């Protein structure tokens, strides 16, 4: 059951490219503006240090995802169908965080990273003692992004990797013995995808995103789909509300004890994010 709590890599933060650096009046040795003619200052290119700073935009986006998890775990001959509502996951949640970061150059090229970590724990009392399970899960995504501006809209093409890692420790304590069983799995999926933003108004944008991955390199196949909206709070801040679904299918030799275990899992639910652009 180690794969049950693994959360997917999250939505890439949708932020517009920075505006071109504005020109500034030239200054003399004393720092005063040099006037041309009688009223207007002569525009000059910003100093190299300032120009370099304006060439890049940094986006930081913490978010919350409250999903439902469904799927099947087992061998090809026999498996266990399961369903975990958001409340079930919150009951076993102990600690975690979700954050996305992106650096984008004015040319349209950028680098995006996403990191999710969670610690889940639960305990069960039995007649002769108790059983405690502790689960640590991490998902890290790294992708190269290329933005194509389409007037009031934008299309982002991206490709990279998504690394999954989960460790499970089950402690069994009875009157007769104490033992801890440690298991888990980790793999890396290559991914390719696209994100589209449709500007409805100055404040509202519609967001659509999808990617596929795995291709037998990590999982057999995985796909991710996102649809929702973004609202601009200011030139630098935006609020996002979307519905996100991630599905993964993998034969896991790490938890199969010689017979690989099929992990067919779909995670779906609302995601709320806040993006700030520096």
């Amino acid at each position: 059951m180690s794969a049950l709590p693994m959360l997917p890599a999250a939505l890439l933060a949708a932020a517009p490219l920075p505006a071109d650096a504005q020109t500034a009046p030239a200054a003399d040795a004393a720092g005063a503006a040099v006037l041309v003619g009688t009223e207007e200052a002569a525009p000059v290119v910003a100093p190299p240090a300032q120009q370099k700073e304006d060439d890049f935009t940094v986006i930081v986006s913490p978010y919350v995802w409250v999903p439902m998890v469904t799927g099947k775990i087992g061998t090809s001959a026999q498996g266990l169908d399961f369903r975990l509502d958001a409340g079930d996951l919150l009951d076993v949640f102990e600690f975690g965080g979700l954050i996305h970061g992106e650096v984008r150059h004015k040319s349209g090229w950028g680098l995006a990273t996403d990191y999710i970590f969670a610690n889940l724990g639960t305990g069960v009392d039995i007649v002769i003692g108790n059983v405690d399970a502790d689960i640590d899960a991490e998902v890290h995504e790294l992708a190269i992004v290329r933005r194509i501006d389409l007037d009031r809209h934008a299309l982002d093409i991206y490709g990279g990797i998504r690394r999954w890692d989960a460790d499970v420790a089950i402690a069994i304590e009875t009157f007769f013995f104490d033992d801890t069983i440690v298991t888990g799995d980790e793999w890396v999926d290559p991914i390719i995808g696209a994100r589209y933003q449709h500007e409805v108004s100055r404040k509202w944008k519609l967001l659509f995103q999808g990617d596929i991955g795995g291709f037998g390199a990590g999982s057999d196949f995985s796909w991710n789909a996102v649809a929702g909206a973004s609202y601009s709070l200011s030139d630098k801040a935006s609020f996002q509300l979307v519905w996100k679904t991630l599905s993964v299918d993998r034969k896991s030799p790490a938890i199969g004890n010689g017979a690989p275990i099929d992990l067919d899992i779909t995670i779906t639910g609302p995601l709320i994010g806040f993006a700030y652009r520096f």
Side-chain angles (χ1 to χ4, degrees):
M1 300 292 287
S2 63
L4 295 184
M6 288 193 294
L7 303 177
L11 174 68
L12 292 173
L17 290 175
D20 292 337
Q22 295 181 347
T23 58
D28 60 14
V34 178
L35 299 181
V36 177
T38 58
E39 296 183 359
E40 295 186 5
V44 298
V45 178
Q50 182 67 35
Q51 181 69 36
K52 182 178 180 180
E53 180 182 350
D54 291 341
D55 283 347
F56 291 90
T57 298
V58 178
I59 305 110
V60 176
S61 179
Y63 60 93
V64 176
W65 192 22
V66 187
M68 172 182 66
V69 183
T70 60
K72 182 178 181 180
I73 294 179
T75 63
S76 56
Q78 184 177 7
L80 171 67
D81 294 318
F82 66 89
R83 175 190 175 100
L84 296 175
D85 293 328
D88 298 325
L89 294 177
L90 291 175
D91 286 341
V92 298
F93 180 81
E94 294 182 344
F95 180 75
L98 307 92
I99 191 167
H100 172 84
E102 190 168 342
V103 178
R104 191 184 299 276
H105 188 259
K106 68 177 183 179
S107 65
W109 289 97
L111 187 66
T113 184
D114 198 279
Y115 183 62
I116 300 173
F117 64 96
N119 178 261
L120 309 176
T122 185
V124 178
D125 293 328
I126 58 178
V127 176
I128 58 175
N130 60 73
V131 178
D132 291 317
D134 186 72
I135 303 167
D136 292 315
E138 295 183 13
V139 179
H140 185 204
E141 179 178 307
L142 185 64
I144 296 174
V145 184
R146 171 61 170 148
R147 167 157 293 186
I148 303 172
D149 285 311
L150 306 171
D151 193 14
R152 296 172 56 191
H153 318 298
L155 175 66
D156 292 331
I157 307 297
Y158 63 91
I161 59 172
R162 182 179 292 131
R163 178 180 176 270
W164 306 69
D165 187 5
D167 296 313
V168 181
I170 302 175
I172 304 174
E173 182 179 354
T174 70
F175 300 119
F176 310 105
F177 67 95
D178 294 336
D179 194 12
T180 299
I181 301 172
V182 178
T183 186
D185 194 7
E186 68 174 281
W187 68 89
V188 176
D189 281 341
I191 58 172
I192 55 173
R195 176 183 62 193
Y196 175 70
Q197 301 179 52
H198 179 81
E199 185 176 328
V200 180
S201 67
R202 292 182 62 253
K203 292 290 187 179
W204 287 97
K205 292 181 181 179
L206 297 179
L207 306 176
F208 303 94
Q209 180 181 344
D211 62 61
I212 57 175
F215 313 113
S219 62
D220 295 326
F221 185 72
S222 65
W223 60 271
N224 173 53
V226 175
S230 171
Y231 179 79
S232 296
L233 301 172
S234 68
D235 291 340
K236 294 183 176 294
S238 63
F239 172 82
Q240 299 162 356
L241 176 61
V242 302
W243 190 274
K244 179 179 177 67
T245 300
L246 179 88
S247 183
V248 60
D249 184 6
R250 167 176 165 81
K251 289 182 173 60
S252 173
I255 59 176
N257 295 324
I261 296 296
D262 291 335
L263 308 175
D264 187 358
I265 300 171
T266 298
I267 309 170
T268 184
L271 182 149
I272 301 172
F274 173 81
Y276 190 82
R277 183 171 66 106
F278 296 90

